Short mmCIF file of all heavy atoms in Angstrom, two decimals:
data_model
loop_
_atom_site.label_atom_id
_atom_site.label_comp_id
_atom_site.label_asym_id
_atom_site.label_seq_id
_atom_site.Cartn_x
_atom_site.Cartn_y
_atom_site.Cartn_z
N ASP A 4 129.87 72.95 165.45
CA ASP A 4 128.45 72.54 165.71
C ASP A 4 128.31 72.11 167.29
O ASP A 4 127.41 72.57 167.90
CB ASP A 4 127.97 71.43 164.84
CG ASP A 4 127.41 71.86 163.51
OD1 ASP A 4 126.64 72.93 163.59
OD2 ASP A 4 127.79 71.39 162.50
N ARG A 30 104.89 104.49 187.06
CA ARG A 30 105.43 105.06 185.90
C ARG A 30 104.66 104.97 184.68
O ARG A 30 104.41 105.90 183.91
CB ARG A 30 106.86 104.64 185.76
CG ARG A 30 107.62 105.00 184.66
CD ARG A 30 109.02 104.55 184.69
NE ARG A 30 109.54 104.38 183.32
CZ ARG A 30 110.77 103.97 183.03
NH1 ARG A 30 111.56 103.59 183.94
NH2 ARG A 30 111.15 103.89 181.84
N ALA A 33 101.36 106.86 184.65
CA ALA A 33 101.46 108.22 184.60
C ALA A 33 101.60 108.57 183.10
O ALA A 33 101.05 109.62 182.57
CB ALA A 33 102.85 108.74 185.29
N ARG A 36 98.15 108.27 181.58
CA ARG A 36 97.35 109.49 181.80
C ARG A 36 97.68 110.50 180.80
O ARG A 36 96.79 111.29 180.51
CB ARG A 36 97.42 109.80 183.27
CG ARG A 36 96.54 108.99 184.22
CD ARG A 36 96.48 109.63 185.53
NE ARG A 36 97.83 109.29 186.27
CZ ARG A 36 97.97 108.18 186.94
NH1 ARG A 36 97.05 107.16 186.98
NH2 ARG A 36 99.13 108.08 187.57
N ASP A 37 98.89 110.72 180.46
CA ASP A 37 99.26 111.72 179.46
C ASP A 37 98.75 111.49 178.02
O ASP A 37 98.85 112.41 177.23
CB ASP A 37 100.88 111.79 179.35
CG ASP A 37 101.49 112.43 180.73
OD1 ASP A 37 100.64 112.90 181.43
OD2 ASP A 37 102.64 112.14 180.86
N LEU A 38 98.52 110.14 177.74
CA LEU A 38 98.04 109.74 176.49
C LEU A 38 96.56 110.21 176.20
O LEU A 38 95.66 109.34 176.19
CB LEU A 38 98.16 108.20 176.15
CG LEU A 38 99.61 107.75 175.98
CD1 LEU A 38 99.51 106.33 175.89
CD2 LEU A 38 100.27 108.30 174.75
N PRO A 40 93.38 111.49 174.24
CA PRO A 40 93.00 111.51 172.68
C PRO A 40 93.10 112.94 172.17
O PRO A 40 92.60 113.79 172.78
CB PRO A 40 91.51 111.02 172.61
CG PRO A 40 91.04 111.11 174.03
CD PRO A 40 92.29 111.02 174.98
N ASP A 42 92.24 116.43 170.40
CA ASP A 42 90.95 117.06 170.05
C ASP A 42 91.00 117.38 168.57
O ASP A 42 91.84 117.35 167.94
CB ASP A 42 90.71 118.21 170.84
CG ASP A 42 91.85 119.27 170.80
OD1 ASP A 42 93.01 118.79 170.84
OD2 ASP A 42 91.58 120.51 170.52
N LEU A 46 93.89 118.20 165.45
CA LEU A 46 93.99 117.27 164.19
C LEU A 46 93.77 118.24 163.02
O LEU A 46 94.56 118.01 162.01
CB LEU A 46 92.64 116.42 164.27
CG LEU A 46 92.83 115.11 165.13
CD1 LEU A 46 91.53 114.24 165.16
CD2 LEU A 46 94.15 114.26 164.74
N VAL A 49 97.07 120.15 162.51
CA VAL A 49 98.17 119.39 161.88
C VAL A 49 97.90 119.19 160.48
O VAL A 49 98.76 119.30 159.70
CB VAL A 49 98.10 117.99 162.76
CG1 VAL A 49 99.04 117.11 161.97
CG2 VAL A 49 98.63 118.11 164.21
N SER A 57 103.19 121.24 152.12
CA SER A 57 103.04 120.58 150.67
C SER A 57 102.86 121.69 149.66
O SER A 57 103.65 121.61 148.68
CB SER A 57 101.91 119.61 150.64
OG SER A 57 101.84 118.88 151.82
N VAL A 59 103.86 124.80 149.89
CA VAL A 59 105.05 125.49 149.74
C VAL A 59 106.11 124.77 148.84
O VAL A 59 106.80 125.26 148.09
CB VAL A 59 105.69 125.84 151.12
CG1 VAL A 59 107.03 126.41 150.99
CG2 VAL A 59 104.72 126.97 151.76
N VAL A 64 109.23 124.09 143.96
CA VAL A 64 109.57 123.16 142.72
C VAL A 64 109.09 123.89 141.45
O VAL A 64 109.94 123.91 140.47
CB VAL A 64 108.87 121.72 142.95
CG1 VAL A 64 109.03 121.03 141.57
CG2 VAL A 64 109.54 121.03 144.05
N GLY A 67 111.39 126.89 140.73
CA GLY A 67 112.73 126.37 140.36
C GLY A 67 112.78 125.91 138.84
O GLY A 67 113.56 126.18 138.13
N ASN A 69 110.60 126.77 136.61
CA ASN A 69 110.49 127.83 135.75
C ASN A 69 111.75 128.63 135.54
O ASN A 69 112.01 129.16 134.39
CB ASN A 69 109.40 128.81 136.44
CG ASN A 69 108.80 129.74 135.33
OD1 ASN A 69 108.68 129.35 134.16
ND2 ASN A 69 108.55 130.95 135.72
N GLU A 78 110.23 135.60 122.26
CA GLU A 78 110.03 136.96 121.65
C GLU A 78 110.33 138.13 122.52
O GLU A 78 111.02 139.12 122.11
CB GLU A 78 108.50 137.08 121.32
CG GLU A 78 108.22 135.99 120.28
CD GLU A 78 106.63 135.93 119.99
OE1 GLU A 78 105.92 136.74 120.68
OE2 GLU A 78 106.27 135.19 118.92
N GLU A 82 111.21 141.83 131.01
CA GLU A 82 110.97 143.28 131.28
C GLU A 82 109.82 143.71 130.42
O GLU A 82 108.97 144.45 130.68
CB GLU A 82 112.19 144.14 131.11
CG GLU A 82 113.25 143.89 132.24
CD GLU A 82 114.07 142.62 132.07
OE1 GLU A 82 114.15 142.06 130.94
OE2 GLU A 82 114.76 142.10 132.92
N GLU A 86 106.11 145.23 130.90
CA GLU A 86 105.68 146.60 130.40
C GLU A 86 104.42 146.38 129.52
O GLU A 86 103.46 147.19 129.66
CB GLU A 86 106.73 147.05 129.46
CG GLU A 86 106.54 148.51 129.05
CD GLU A 86 107.62 148.92 128.05
OE1 GLU A 86 108.74 148.39 128.05
OE2 GLU A 86 107.29 149.86 127.38
N VAL A 87 104.33 145.33 128.66
CA VAL A 87 103.11 145.15 127.97
C VAL A 87 101.92 144.92 128.84
O VAL A 87 100.86 145.55 128.65
CB VAL A 87 103.45 143.98 127.01
CG1 VAL A 87 102.03 143.53 126.30
CG2 VAL A 87 104.49 144.17 125.93
N VAL A 89 101.44 145.83 131.95
CA VAL A 89 101.18 147.18 132.69
C VAL A 89 100.42 148.24 131.83
O VAL A 89 99.41 148.63 132.26
CB VAL A 89 102.44 147.74 133.26
CG1 VAL A 89 102.10 149.07 133.87
CG2 VAL A 89 103.04 146.76 134.38
N VAL A 90 100.98 148.33 130.61
CA VAL A 90 100.41 149.38 129.77
C VAL A 90 99.36 148.74 128.78
O VAL A 90 98.86 149.56 127.86
CB VAL A 90 101.46 150.03 128.89
CG1 VAL A 90 102.57 150.72 129.78
CG2 VAL A 90 102.09 149.09 127.86
N LEU A 99 97.62 146.63 119.84
CA LEU A 99 98.00 145.38 120.49
C LEU A 99 97.70 144.29 119.51
O LEU A 99 98.54 143.34 119.48
CB LEU A 99 96.91 145.10 121.66
CG LEU A 99 97.54 145.81 123.03
CD1 LEU A 99 96.29 145.58 124.11
CD2 LEU A 99 98.70 145.17 123.57
N ARG A 102 100.75 143.87 117.23
CA ARG A 102 102.11 143.25 117.74
C ARG A 102 102.08 141.78 117.50
O ARG A 102 101.10 141.02 117.63
CB ARG A 102 102.19 143.60 119.14
CG ARG A 102 102.54 145.01 119.27
CD ARG A 102 102.73 145.39 120.78
NE ARG A 102 102.80 146.81 120.98
CZ ARG A 102 103.09 147.39 122.09
NH1 ARG A 102 103.19 146.65 123.33
NH2 ARG A 102 103.04 148.69 122.22
#
Side-chain angles (χ1 to χ4, degrees):
Chain A
D4 277 316
R30 173 178 151 180
R36 278 189 286 274
D37 290 342
L38 288 175
D42 58 314
L46 286 174
V49 170
S57 318
V59 168
V64 169
N69 197 33
E78 293 173 353
E82 293 79 16
E86 190 184 336
V87 168
V89 170
V90 300
L99 275 174
R102 288 186 187 178

